[in-house]
Amino acid sequence: QVQLVESGGGLVQAGGSLRLSCAASRAFGIHGLAWFRQAPGKEREFVAAIAWSGGRTSYADSLKGRFTISRDNAKNTVYLQMNSLKPEDTGVYYCRSALAERVYGAWGQGTQVTVSL
C-alpha cells in the first residue's frame, strides 16, 4: 500500500503563506494525489487534487486563487502552496491518494496548519 507523508505545516499569521508537501512511497498504481483538510468542529473537506500524468488540477471553489497545487513526478511529491492565509484555514491538512478521478485511497497522517490573527 502506498505510504504518504505530509510536511510543511506550522503556525503562521493571517496573510502569510505556507507550502505543504506530500511525499508518496510510489506513484505506480495511483492516479495522483489530493489534499483535504479538517477544521475543528467541521467535516473533512476537499481542497485540491492533481494527476501525475498531465498535471490536471482541481480545486475547491472557495480556495481558487489562494491555493495552488503542483507536483514533482521525479520525487513522487505533491505540493500545496497556500497564500493569503486566513484564520478559517486553520486545521489538519491531509494528503490522500487518488486511484482515479474522484476515487480516493490511502490517507496520510496529516499536518497541522494554524493561522493566527
Side-chain angles (χ1 to χ4, degrees):
Q1 189 67 40
V2 63
Q3 304 295 314
L4 305 172
V5 180
E6 302 98 328
S7 62
L11 176 65
V12 64
Q13 288 186 321
S17 298
L18 286 173
R19 189 180 77 157
L20 306 183
S21 298
C22 175
S25 61
R26 60 174 172 84
F28 179 80
I30 62 173
H31 176 71
L33 294 176
W35 288 97
F36 292 74
R37 70 181 184 182
Q38 188 165 23
K42 294 187 176 181
E43 294 183 339
R44 194 169 295 184
E45 65 178 348
F46 174 79
V47 173
I50 190 167
W52 293 120
S53 180
R56 299 183 306 280
T57 59
S58 181
Y59 296 91
D61 288 342
S62 63
L63 301 176
K64 290 180 180 178
R66 293 197 299 122
F67 288 15
T68 303
I69 191 168
S70 61
R71 77 200 197 283
D72 185 340
N73 287 11
K75 297 180 179 179
N76 294 341
T77 298
V78 164
Y79 306 97
L80 183 69
Q81 179 68 44
M82 306 186 295
N83 298 324
S84 301
L85 284 163
K86 305 173 181 179
E88 50 262 47
D89 294 319
T90 293
V92 179
Y93 284 68
Y94 297 91
C95 186
R96 194 179 191 187
S97 63
L99 306 181
E101 292 186 1
R102 299 195 294 181
V103 179
Y104 301 103
W107 293 93
Q109 294 301 304
T111 185
Q112 176 70 42
V113 171
T114 302
V115 183
S116 64
L117 293 172

